[in-house]
Amino acid sequence: MQLWSITGNSQRLDGGAMFGNAPRALWSRWIAPDAQNRIPLACRCLLVKDLDGRNVLFEAGIGAFFEPALRERYGVVEDRHVLLDSLAAAGLSHEDIDAVVLSHLHFDHAGGLLAAWEEGQPPRLLFPNATYVVGAEHWRRAQQPHPRDRASFIPELQALLADSGRLELVEGAYAKTLGDAVRFSYSDGHTPGLMLAEVAGVVFCADLIPGRFWVHLPITMGYDRYPEALIDEKRAFLDDKLARGIELFFTHDHDCALARVARDDKGRYGTADELRELAGMVRA
């Protein structure tokens, strides 16, 4: 297998929202905000080439589906579909992808499934040869979102996925499409049914741990549904990955794709052996 970090469209979002109840005096030492208090965020995907002969993309980023006014509101930097360019740099097109695994269906993780916005054109799915792999519990949440996170979902997306005939809803640790090569676990602190994929010694942290600085246990996002539960989930998650030597893949860290879990002499979690990108890393 080959592992690639695939960049999608980037964002600039309010630092206070991204760091929850952590004060600006703390988080601004990690990521410097701009004049509007926004910090840079990646929407990074993991591409695994030759996973049992298939090309599998873990997440799709935010994409370019927003109309210009909404693109500005949500801080999307580029107007083109950057994910497609990044796939091309790895030697693939969206038509070459056999499966897209989605941790959840919030727009900054699933919007890249859609073609770039064009005036007067309805939303259209990309990846015509891929199976879309989604956790069943989160799918149910997406059908009836709570007012707290309704704006995080793309209204047309669920119907497009269902109508494609290529949607697999996963209930347990494994998907039929991927067999035992990819193992799933679940988290509810950010959103009910968040699906965390582990493959080739790497785990896609999604929004349980968006980047290096959220490895610290008390640090959560203002977007998280259940912050106290998320902290408990994060502790168990990190203990497990540290014990088994599983590396962390970050979707939103603007400057780090992969890192190893570390723990200091006071028991605080951190990261080590950080890599900014993956470009064909070979794993058995």
Side-chain angles (χ1 to χ4, degrees), residues 137 185-196 208 229-230 233:
E137 181 181 354
S185 58
Y186 299 87
S187 164
D188 295 321
H190 175 68
T191 186
L194 181 77
M195 191 166 71
L196 304 159
L208 176 64
L230 186 141
E233 292 173 339

Side-chain angles (χ1 to χ4, degrees), residues 25-55:
L26 175 63
W27 61 255
S28 62
R29 291 183 293 176
W30 297 331
I31 309 178
D34 65 13
Q36 295 175 269
N37 207 48
R38 302 177 305 174
I39 61 172
L41 296 169
C43 288
R44 184 183 293 106
C45 311
L46 174 63
L47 170 67
V48 181
K49 287 185 174 183
D50 196 25
L51 195 161
D52 294 335
R54 288 167 292 186
N55 297 316

Side-chain angles (χ1 to χ4, degrees), residues 100 102 105 132-136 138-139 161 167-170 195:
V100 181
L102 298 155
L105 294 172
Y132 306 105
V133 180
V134 182
H138 183 71
W139 178 261
L161 292 173
L167 174 66
E168 180 183 352
L169 300 180
V170 184
M195 191 166 71

Side-chain angles (χ1 to χ4, degrees), residues 123-141:
R124 176 174 60 86
L125 276 178
L126 300 175
F127 305 96
N129 300 308
T131 299
Y132 306 105
V133 180
V134 182
E137 181 181 354
H138 183 71
W139 178 261
R140 290 187 285 270
R141 169 74 168 205

Side-chain angles (χ1 to χ4, degrees), residues 46 58-59 101-104 109 133-138 170-175 178 181-199 202-210 229-230 232-238 240-241 244 246-251:
L46 174 63
F58 293 82
E59 297 213 335
V101 179
L102 298 155
S103 69
H104 62 306
H109 297 258
V133 180
V134 182
E137 181 181 354
H138 183 71
V170 184
E171 292 281 5
Y174 300 100
L178 302 172
V182 180
R183 177 175 171 267
F184 297 109
S185 58
Y186 299 87
S187 164
D188 295 321
H190 175 68
T191 186
L194 181 77
M195 191 166 71
L196 304 159
E198 185 179 313
V199 57
V202 170
V203 63
F204 195 104
C205 296
D207 279 346
L208 176 64
I209 307 176
L230 186 141
D232 293 338
E233 292 173 339
K234 185 161 57 170
R235 179 188 288 110
F237 178 89
L238 290 170
D240 173 68
K241 304 307 175 281
R244 296 194 292 120
I246 304 298
E247 294 171 285
L248 309 180
F249 187 92
F250 301 124
T251 185

